[in-house]
């Protein structure tokens, strides 16, 4: 299967070849023909599968075919993404694919006045995070009345971050005759509901069943005591110092503390989390991308959707509370067909999280070190459970004399 087989014209095919995209990925092969026919598409695919081009190419082709210029403040195609980083990345991909279309980015953490000025001229494709777009709508800086294309990227993440109410405000403002494409790594019930609300008779395309981890990622878990996690991480990182590693921590403070400990241990480390300014986050990502920083410690929200080629290892220093996030995290490695490793740490408090992840994966994660906590804990607990316990402060009720 080639891009020509999918109906792409020669100049675009040669531009793709120049970008290192010589043949379509499975999600592109499945989604693009339907999208080019004008159908709504519901794509189940993780980041790393080439889903940006799966919606980006049909979008760019449709925009380039219709030579109408956007009206002032108008937008012809809208892409909504859950985070600033993902939105920024989508713009970079669309610019590479499109050549001369007017593509704008509106995300929080950047000057709204600059964005207002940019939008005033009219935009072919607007890539936005929902919160900032609502601000701009409220200021009447943007008019979605002529928008004929809507893409909802990483829809499951949008749900997690609570963007659905924003979507409820944005969608009715769009042109009635529109084509909608929605992509999600997982397919919980709420996503199906979202698809029913915003897509019309969609074609469903899927490259890996919901929750199934990228097949090329070798996953393993270490059962480790809380106070040993850091030493174990340093030990493992030491084994591949020249490689890029992404380390996930649960909290902002935890991520910052861990990053400093890694720096003290001699690693070129940086962190991205919600307490960092947009500038700091951009700089950390750029340094990670160019290899100045080898270990990036991140929280889920900050790392969502980031695409950095050559991340060999993803460490789940803390397991995520939401099992689907594990799938997102490990999808940062083994991107675009490369091999990758995902290493999880599991303390005695995290057995529940691990079992929930394994349920979503439909498989057990291979044990790389230690022994599962459940068996030891359950063994210790069993005799105690059998003993009848008296609730503190309560005496057995005495029978009252009649
Ligand atoms: P995405 O899932 O859109 O984040 O894409 C993940 C990575 O795959 C990006 O670095 C893309 O440049 C790369 N990619 C996308 N499509 C192709 C293709 N057809 N051939 C090779 N690489 C691709």
């Amino acid at each position: 299967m080639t891009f020509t087989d999918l109906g792409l014209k020669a100049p675009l095919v040669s531009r793709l070849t120049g970008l290192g995209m010589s043949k379509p990925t499975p999600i592109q092969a499945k989604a693009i023909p339907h999208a080019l026919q004008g159908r709504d598409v519901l794509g189940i695919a993780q980041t790393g599968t080439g889903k940006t081009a799966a919606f980006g190419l049909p979008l760019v082709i449709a925009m380039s075919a219709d030579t109408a210029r956007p009206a002032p403040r108008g937008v012809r195609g809208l892409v909504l993404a859950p985070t600033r980083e993902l939105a920024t990345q989508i713009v970079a991909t669309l610019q590479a694919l499109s050549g001369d279309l007017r593509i704008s980015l509106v995300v929080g953490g950047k000057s709204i006045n600059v964005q207002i000025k940019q939008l005033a001229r009219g935009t072919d494709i607007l890539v936005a995070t929902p919160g900032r777009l609502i601000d701009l709508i409220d200021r009447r800086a943007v008019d979605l009345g002529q928008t004929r294309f809507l893409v909802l990227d990483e829809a499951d993440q949008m749900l997690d971050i609570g963007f659905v109410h924003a979507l409820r405000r944005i969608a009715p403002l769009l042109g009635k005759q529109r084509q909608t494409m929605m992509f999600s790594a997982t397919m919980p019930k709420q996503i199906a509901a979202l698809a029913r609300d915003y897509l019309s008779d969609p074609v469903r395309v899927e490259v890996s069943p919901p929750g199934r981890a990228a097949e090329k990622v070798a996953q393993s878990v270490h059962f480790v005591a809380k106070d040993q996690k850091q030493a174990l991480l340093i030990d493992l990182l030491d084994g591949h110092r020249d490689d890029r590693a992404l380390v996930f921590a649960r909290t902002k403070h935890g991520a910052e503390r861990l990053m400093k400990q890694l720096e003290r241990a001699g690693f070129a480390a940086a962190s991205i989390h919600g307490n960092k300014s947009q500038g700091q986050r951009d700089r950390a990502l750029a340094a990670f991308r160019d290899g100045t920083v080898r270990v990036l410690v991140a929280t889920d929200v900050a790392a969502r959707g980031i695409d950095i080629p050559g991340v060999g290892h993803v460490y789940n220093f803390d397991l995520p509370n939401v099992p689907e996030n594990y799938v997102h995290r490990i999808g940062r490695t083994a991107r675009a067909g490369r091999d990758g490793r995902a290493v999880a740490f599991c303390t005695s408090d995290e057995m529940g999280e691990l079992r929930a992840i394994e349920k979503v994966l439909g498989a057990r994660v291979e044990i790389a070190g230690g022994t599962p906590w459940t068996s030891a804990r359950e063994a210790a607990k069993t005799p105690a459970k059998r003993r009848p316990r008296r609730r503190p402060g309560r005496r057995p009720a005495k029978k009252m004399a009649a």
Side-chain angles (χ1 to χ4, degrees):
M1 174 77 69
T2 63
F3 280 115
T4 310
D5 297 336
L6 296 184
L8 271 59
K9 301 233 167 74
L12 185 52
V13 174
S14 67
R15 184 176 309 140
L16 292 176
T17 311
L19 295 169
M21 297 163 67
S22 48
K23 63 182 187 39
T25 65
I27 190 69
Q28 291 161 4
K30 287 183 181 178
I32 290 172
H34 298 294
L36 287 179
Q37 282 169 9
R39 296 283 303 268
D40 281 6
V41 173
L42 172 60
I44 315 294
Q46 300 164 33
T47 323
T49 53
K51 69 181 169 61
T52 313
F55 65 75
L57 283 167
L59 201 55
V60 163
I61 290 168
M63 296 284 148
S64 310
D66 178 358
T67 47
R69 303 306 303 163
R73 294 184 298 116
V75 170
R76 298 165 70 204
L78 174 66
V79 180
L80 291 176
T83 62
R84 301 164 190 177
E85 281 78 8
L86 180 59
T88 309
Q89 228 165 250
I90 293 171
V91 166
T93 303
L94 293 178
Q95 274 165 343
L97 297 179
S98 82
D100 60 353
L101 291 174
R102 206 178 282 167
I103 299 171
S104 301
L105 171 70
V106 303
V107 292
K110 301 254 156 113
S111 157
I112 199 163
N113 291 326
V114 171
Q115 294 172 357
I116 290 172
K117 257 194 212 145
Q118 234 181 17
L119 292 173
R121 295 184 299 145
T123 303
D124 289 317
I125 306 177
L126 175 62
V127 183
T129 49
R132 177 54 66 93
L133 181 58
I134 295 266
D135 281 354
L136 288 159
I137 290 169
D138 288 342
R139 291 175 187 229
R140 302 190 187 289
V142 59
D143 174 6
L144 301 177
Q146 71 168 135
T147 308
R148 298 282 175 269
F149 296 89
L150 171 66
V151 176
L152 304 173
D153 196 15
E154 305 227 337
D156 46 354
Q157 299 302 321
M158 291 218 226
L159 280 179
D160 282 358
I161 308 178
F163 278 158
V164 173
H165 66 281
L167 197 56
R168 288 218 176 90
R169 274 206 57 200
I170 295 165
L173 306 174
L174 267 56
K176 291 277 169 292
Q177 288 295 319
R178 64 156 203 258
Q179 183 180 5
T180 306
M181 289 183 257
M182 181 163 110
F183 284 81
S184 181
T186 53
M187 192 62 196
K189 275 200 200 89
Q190 302 99 303
I191 291 290
L194 211 60
R196 273 196 302 277
D197 289 349
Y198 296 107
L199 276 67
S200 158
D201 187 26
V203 184
R204 185 179 153 136
V205 293
E206 191 166 337
V207 285
S208 67
R212 198 152 104 221
E215 262 142 32
K216 297 206 96 185
V217 184
Q219 302 170 60
S220 62
V221 57
H222 288 263
F223 296 99
V224 59
K226 214 179 204 150
D227 58 0
Q228 295 299 312
K229 272 183 169 181
Q230 190 197 317
L232 177 60
L233 179 66
I234 289 175
D235 207 35
L236 293 172
L237 286 174
D238 224 8
H240 52 84
R241 271 186 176 266
D242 293 334
D243 218 9
R244 281 197 197 85
L246 187 54
V247 180
F248 283 96
R250 190 174 297 157
T251 65
K252 299 180 238 182
H253 293 293
E256 196 58 19
R257 205 168 41 236
L258 182 58
M259 183 273 285
K260 291 199 170 127
Q261 286 158 343
L262 292 175
E263 273 190 332
R264 274 197 290 276
F267 291 95
S271 63
I272 51 169
H273 50 72
N275 280 356
K276 297 267 173 168
S277 70
Q278 191 56 39
Q280 288 172 317
R281 282 156 70 160
D282 291 346
R283 278 194 296 280
L285 276 180
F288 191 50
R289 217 172 243 130
D290 72 23
T292 338
V293 156
R294 297 286 175 172
V295 186
L296 186 67
V297 186
T299 55
D300 281 308
V301 170
R304 204 145 280 162
I306 60 170
D307 171 36
I308 295 178
V311 175
H313 289 74
V314 169
Y315 287 94
N316 281 286
F317 187 80
D318 300 313
L319 290 178
N321 300 109
V322 180
E324 281 80 10
N325 280 350
Y326 175 86
V327 180
H328 287 285
R329 290 177 177 192
I330 72 167
R332 309 296 112 206
T333 185
R335 297 171 77 73
R338 295 202 186 85
D339 286 331
R341 294 183 178 281
V343 183
F345 291 179
C346 178
T347 64
S348 57
D349 296 340
E350 293 174 307
M351 276 313 284
E353 280 87 346
L354 180 65
R355 293 299 174 231
I357 287 164
E358 291 180 328
K359 208 166 149 203
V360 167
L361 294 172
R364 282 283 158 102
V365 178
E366 192 186 307
I367 300 172
T371 41
W373 295 98
T374 332
S375 45
R377 240 183 358 168
E378 271 175 2
K381 265 191 181 169
T382 316
K385 261 192 186 159
R386 293 211 184 100
R387 263 181 267 133
R389 286 212 337 244
R390 230 177 63 197
R391 307 240 302 266
R394 279 217 177 175
R395 291 172 176 280
K398 271 187 194 157
K399 270 200 177 151
M400 303 283 283

